[in-house]
C-alpha cells in the first residue's frame, strides 16, 4: 500500500494536507441520553437581527443555529454572503442549524438538521448573558478539510469550556467544497471577484456578527481568538491573511493544519473549466452553474476524492503546459487542478497566507500552534497493510513518492530513529510531510514578527484500535478535539486510556488561558516559553507536560532544506 503522501487526500488544499474527514468514530450517546441537548429553563436575548431563545447545556447557556448572514443559494451562489434578513418574533435557538452541503455521514451533532446550501448559522455557548462581563471569545473553525464538517459536532460542543474557564465559545457553519471555493473570477468578471474564497468570507461575516452581538452574550468583542483543528486550522491561516478580517480577531490558534500556500488563480480556473465541462456548460455560459442542483457539486467532489470523475481528468492544454515533474517533495507540494480551497485572488487573499513570510496584517496577533506527534496513524487507519511494512516496503514506498529525495529522507530517519520499526519511521515521515514540517515553518515565519508564538506537540496516545493491525491511533490526527474542548466523556478518537482527563485539563487550560491573556498557562503544568528560531522551545502536551528544545530538529532541517 503506498504511503498516504501519494494519495489525493494528502494533496488537496496544497500544503494543508487536511482534506480527509476526521469523523471516523461518531460520538454515540446511550439510549435516551443526550450529550449536548439544549434544555430549559429557556433564556431569550436580543440580537441585531431579532430576538432568539436558547437554553442550558452542561453548565452553560447555549444558543444554536443563529443566522449570521443571508441566503447564499440561487443568484447568491459563489458570491460573498449578504447581510442576514431580520425576523419578527422570537426565533428558536435550541437546536443546531444545517451543515454545509457535503457527502453523507460526516457530521455528528445532536438533532442536527439536514445539509443545506443555505448553511450560514453559528452556535454560542456562554456562562451568562447580559451581565456586562467581558469574557474572551473563542471562535472555532471546524475541521474536515475544506470539504466536510460542521460547527455542531458533539466533541467540539463549547459548553464545558465556557462553564469551566469563563469564556464564550462560538462555532460556525460555512460553505464547503466547490460551493465554497469554486473560482469564477477569471471567467465571470467583476460579479465574481470574491469567488474562490466564499467559505473564508463566510467565517469573516461570522466574525462581524461576533463584533456586533457578542457583548449581549457576555463576550468581549475586543478580545477574540480564532482557532481551529485540521481544515479549521487551515481556514484560520487564510483568515489571518485576509484584509477583510483584520480588526475582527486578536489572537489565533492552529491545531494540525498549516496552510502556507493557497490555490493560484490559474490552477483554480482550470478546476472551474473541468467543473463546467462536467456539467456540459461552455465557459461563456458559466451563469448556468447557478441552475445546477447543489447535490451534483457534491457528487463531483466525492468522485474526485476517490481519484475518479471529471475533476481528475487533465485537459490536454493544461497537461501540455504543465508536464508532470519527477517525484520529489516539491512535486508533491505543487498545486494541481481538481482540488479546492482558498484562492490567491488578489482581493480576498492578496498573497499566499504564510509564504514566503507571515502576513504583515497579523504582526501583532499572538499565535498558538502545533500538531499531533503521530498524525499519520489516522490518515492510514483504513489501510492495514501499511502497519505491516518491513524495511524494504518502506524504502520502495518512499522512493516511489520522492524519487531522488528519497535517499536523504530515509537516511535521516534511520539516523534519528535507529530503534524505530519501519512502520514507526513511515508514520514519522508522513506526519512530518502532512503537518509537522509546515507547522515548524509557519511558526518560524510568524516568530519573525513582534507578537509571541507558542508552539506545541501533542503526545497523548489514544487507545482506539486500528482494525486489522496491532496498532492504536496513538497521538494521531484529530484525537485532540474532544481533549481541547474538555469533552472526553464522549466516545470518540481520543479513546479512554490512562491520563486522558489530566491531559484534557492541561490542554484546555492552556488554550483558554491563551484566550484570556495571550499567554498559555495551566494549573500544575510547566510555564510555556515563547517560540523563536534560536531555542525553538516546544511544549510537549500530555497528562504531565514538558518543554523540549527543537524536538526532531535534524528532521525539521532536512524537510525545510527540501522545501517542505
Amino acid at each position: 500500500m503506498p504511503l498516504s503522501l501519494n494519495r489525493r487526500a494528502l494533496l488537496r488544499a496544497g500544503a494543508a494536507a487536511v482534506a480527509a474527514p476526521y469523523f471516523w468514530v461518531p460520538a454515540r450517546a446511550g439510549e435516551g441520553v443526550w450529550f449536548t441537548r439544549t434544555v430549559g429553563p429557556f433564556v431569550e436575548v436580543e440580537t441585531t437581527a431579532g430576538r432568539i431563545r436558547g437554553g442550558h447545556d452542561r453548565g452553560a447557556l447555549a444558543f444554536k443555529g443563529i443566522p449570521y448572514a443571508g441566503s447564499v443559494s440561487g443568484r447568491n451562489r459563489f458570491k460573498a454572503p449578504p447581510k442576514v434578513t431580520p425576523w419578527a418574533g422570537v426565533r428558536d435557538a435550541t437546536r443546531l442549524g444545517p451543515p454545509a452541503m457535503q457527502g453523507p455521514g460526516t457530521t455528528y451533532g445532536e438533532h442536527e438538521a439536514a445539509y443545506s446550501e443555505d448553511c450560514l448559522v453559528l452556535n454560542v455557548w456562554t456562562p451568562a448573558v447580559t451581565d456586562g462581563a467581558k469574557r474572551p471569545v473563542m471562535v472555532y473553525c471546524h475541521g474536515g478539510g475544506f470539504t466536510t464538517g460542521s460547527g455542531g459536532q458533539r466533541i467540539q460542543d463549547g459548553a464545558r469550556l465556557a462553564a469551566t474557564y469563563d469564556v464564550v465559545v462560538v462555532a460556525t457553519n460555512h460553505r464547503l467544497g466547490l460551493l465554497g471555493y469554486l473560482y469564477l473570477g477569471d471567467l465571470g468578471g467583476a460579479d465574481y471577484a470574491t469567488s474562490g474564497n466564499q467559505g473564508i468570507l463566510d467565517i469573516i461575516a461570522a466574525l462581524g456578527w461576533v463584533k456586533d452581538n457578542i457583548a449581549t452574550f457576555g463576550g468581549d468583542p475586543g478580545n477574540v481568538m480564532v482557532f481551529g483543528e485540521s481544515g479549521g486550522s487551515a481556514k484560520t491561516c487564510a483568515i489571518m491573511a485576509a484584509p477583510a478580517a483584520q480588526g475582527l480577531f486578536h489572537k489565533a490558534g492552529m491545531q494540525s493544519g498549516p496552510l502556507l500556500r493557497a490555490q493560484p488563480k490559474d490552477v483554480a480556473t482550470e478546476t472551474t473549466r473541468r467543473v463546467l465541462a462536467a456539467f456540459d456548460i461552455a465557459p461563456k455560459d458559466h451563469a448556468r452553474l447557478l441552475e445546477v442542483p447543489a447535490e451534483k457539486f457534491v457528487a463531483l467532489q466525492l468522485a474526485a476524492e476517490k481519484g475518479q470523475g471529471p475533476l481528475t481528468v487533465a485537459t490536454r492544454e493544461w497537461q501540455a503546459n504543465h508536464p508532470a515533474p519527477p517525484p520529489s517533495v516539491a512535486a508533491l507540494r505543487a498545486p494541481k487542478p481538481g482540488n479546492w480551497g482558498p484562492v490567491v485572488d488578489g482581493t480576498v487573499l492578496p498573497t499566499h497566507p504564510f509564504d514566503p513570510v507571515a502576513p504583515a496584517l497579523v504582526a501583532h496577533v499572538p499565535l498558538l500552534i502545533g500538531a499531533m506527534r503521530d498524525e499519520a496513524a489516522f490518515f492510514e487507519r483504513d489501510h492495514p497493510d501499511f502497519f505491516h511494512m518491513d524495511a524494504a516496503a518502506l524504502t520502495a514506498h518512499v522512493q516511489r513518492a520522492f524519487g531522488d529525495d528519497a535517499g536523504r529522507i530515509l537516511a535521516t530517519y534511520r539516523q534519528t530513529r535507529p530503534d524505530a520499526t519501519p512502520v514507526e519511521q513511515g508514520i514519522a515521515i508522513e506526519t512530518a510531510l502532512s503537518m509537522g514540517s509546515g507547522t515548524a515553518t509557519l511558526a518560524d515565519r510568524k516568530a519573525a514578527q513582534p507578537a509571541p508564538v507558542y508552539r506545541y506537540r501533542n503526545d497523548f496516545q489514544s487507545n482506539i484500535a486500528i482494525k486489522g493491525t496491532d496498532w492504536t491511533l496513538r497521538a494521531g490526527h484529530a484525537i485532540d478535539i474532544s481533549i481541547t474542548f474538555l469533552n472526553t466523556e464522549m466516545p470518540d478518537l481520543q479513546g479512554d486510556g490512562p491520563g486522558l482527563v489530566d491531559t484534557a485539563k492541561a490542554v484546555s487550560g492552556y488554550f483558554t488561558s491563551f484566550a484570556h491573556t495571550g499567554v498559555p498557562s495551566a494549573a500544575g503544568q510547566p510555564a510555556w516559553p515563547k517560540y523563536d528560531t534560536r531555542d525553538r522551545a516546544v511544549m510537549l502536551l500530555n497528562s504531565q507536560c514538558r518543554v523540549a528544545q527543537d524536538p526532531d530538529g535534524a528532521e525539521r532541517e532536512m524537510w525545510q532544506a527540501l522545501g517542505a
Side-chain angles (χ1 to χ4, degrees):
M1 181 69 210
L3 290 175
S4 283
L5 46 83
N6 263 341
R7 299 206 311 268
R8 287 180 58 82
L10 203 65
L11 296 175
R12 192 170 307 285
V18 292
Y22 57 62
F23 309 103
W24 178 41
V25 183
R28 297 183 177 91
E31 185 176 353
V33 178
W34 300 100
F35 280 132
T36 62
R37 191 176 186 182
T38 305
V39 299
F42 300 107
V43 178
E44 293 185 10
V45 296
E46 191 76 34
T47 74
T48 54
R51 198 162 184 81
I52 61 173
R53 178 177 54 248
H56 286 74
D57 176 2
R58 298 180 303 146
L61 295 174
F63 300 83
K64 301 176 180 179
I66 307 169
Y68 64 84
S71 171
V72 288
S73 60
R75 61 185 176 183
N76 289 336
R77 182 182 280 179
F78 309 125
K79 293 184 178 180
K83 295 289 186 181
V84 65
T85 303
W87 57 85
V90 180
R91 185 184 183 97
D92 180 70
T94 61
R95 297 196 178 207
L96 297 170
M101 294 298 299
Q102 57 195 280
T106 51
T107 62
Y108 301 102
E110 217 66 77
H111 298 302
E112 195 160 35
Y115 307 129
S116 173
E117 190 169 356
D118 285 320
C119 60
L120 303 191
V121 297
L122 55 77
N123 311 313
V124 179
W125 297 268
T126 180
V129 295
T130 61
D131 63 348
K134 288 192 172 183
R135 300 175 179 88
V137 184
M138 303 178 70
V139 179
Y140 186 71
C141 304
H142 69 72
F146 299 108
T147 305
T148 66
S150 83
Q153 192 195 12
R154 290 185 186 94
I155 57 169
Q156 64 192 39
D157 181 276
R160 281 278 166 78
L161 279 190
T164 305
Y165 295 107
D166 198 35
V167 297
V168 179
V169 181
V170 178
T172 72
N173 287 354
H174 39 268
R175 282 172 284 181
L176 299 169
L178 294 170
L179 292 169
Y181 297 97
L182 189 70
Y183 176 63
L184 284 162
D186 284 352
L187 299 177
D191 287 346
Y192 294 98
T194 62
S195 67
N197 292 298
Q198 302 92 281
I200 301 304
L201 288 170
D202 294 345
I203 299 171
I204 294 173
L207 290 171
W209 183 96
V210 167
K211 180 181 179 181
D212 294 340
N213 290 279
I214 209 65
T216 299
F217 296 86
D220 181 1
N223 186 11
V224 176
M225 174 183 173
V226 177
F227 74 120
E229 187 274 342
S230 191
S233 173
K235 295 163 194 170
T236 300
C237 293
I239 290 165
M240 292 181 78
Q246 301 317 300
L248 299 178
F249 66 97
H250 313 90
K251 303 178 181 74
M254 300 176 187
Q255 300 171 255
S256 301
L259 182 69
L260 302 179
R261 297 179 62 82
Q263 293 281 318
K265 286 199 294 184
D266 63 331
V267 175
T269 297
E270 172 62 17
T271 297
T272 302
R273 291 183 181 278
R274 296 183 189 185
V275 170
L276 289 165
F279 296 137
D280 197 23
I281 298 174
K284 65 181 179 63
D285 298 325
H286 57 80
R288 288 178 53 200
L289 285 171
L290 305 184
E291 304 167 6
V292 176
E295 292 80 5
K296 290 194 174 183
F297 290 95
V298 175
L300 273 183
Q301 294 168 201
L302 294 175
E305 289 168 4
K306 297 176 182 178
Q308 303 168 356
L311 293 185
T312 66
V313 179
T315 60
R316 291 180 181 177
E317 180 182 355
W318 179 268
Q319 203 166 28
N321 294 327
H322 301 80
S328 66
V329 173
L332 199 63
R333 291 298 199 196
K336 297 173 178 62
N339 299 324
W340 48 89
V343 178
V344 182
D345 61 352
T347 303
V348 179
L349 282 184
T351 64
H352 290 289
F354 281 87
D355 189 67
V357 296
L361 296 167
V362 292
H364 296 284
V365 174
L367 174 65
L368 192 158
I369 181 171
M372 302 300 300
R373 188 193 65 195
D374 307 314
E375 297 275 359
F378 169 87
F379 294 123
E380 291 291 356
R381 70 198 185 282
D382 293 328
H383 304 103
D385 287 352
F386 178 92
F387 297 94
H388 298 286
M389 281 194 306
D390 58 17
L394 175 62
T395 297
H397 295 329
V398 175
Q399 287 176 338
R400 187 180 302 115
F402 295 118
D404 291 342
D405 290 340
R408 183 173 181 181
I409 294 168
L410 289 166
T412 298
Y413 279 83
R414 285 165 181 165
Q415 180 180 12
T416 58
R417 302 172 188 248
D419 298 325
T421 67
V423 174
E424 289 170 333
Q425 291 174 347
I427 289 290
I429 290 169
E430 188 176 334
T431 293
L433 183 72
S434 63
M435 301 293 170
S437 64
T439 295
T441 296
L442 196 154
D444 287 356
R445 292 172 179 174
K446 186 69 176 73
Q449 297 182 333
V453 175
Y454 298 92
R455 185 181 161 202
Y456 72 85
R457 188 185 75 195
N458 194 323
D459 288 359
F460 177 78
Q461 298 192 53
S462 169
N463 61 359
I464 293 291
I466 297 176
K467 187 176 180 180
T469 79
D470 58 1
W471 266 65
T472 64
L473 281 176
R474 298 195 184 185
H477 188 66
I479 75 160
D480 56 328
I481 302 173
S482 64
I483 288 170
T484 305
F485 280 89
L486 210 60
N487 287 331
T488 53
E489 82 280 9
M490 301 181 188
D492 205 82
L493 299 175
Q494 79 281 351
D496 58 2
L500 175 61
V501 172
D502 287 339
T503 301
K505 290 178 180 178
V507 175
S508 61
Y510 278 130
F511 270 72
T512 53
S513 60
F514 180 75
H516 273 277
T517 68
V519 178
S521 62
Q525 299 292 351
W528 193 329
K530 298 176 184 178
Y531 179 86
D532 58 44
T533 55
R534 181 188 63 188
D535 297 326
R536 289 192 164 88
V538 177
M539 181 65 75
L540 306 184
L541 299 175
N542 214 321
S543 57
Q544 181 56 53
C545 305
R546 66 183 180 89
V547 178
Q549 305 295 326
D550 198 15
D552 311 322
E555 297 166 7
R556 173 191 57 77
E557 291 176 353
M558 182 270 298
W559 286 110
Q560 289 180 333
L562 291 176

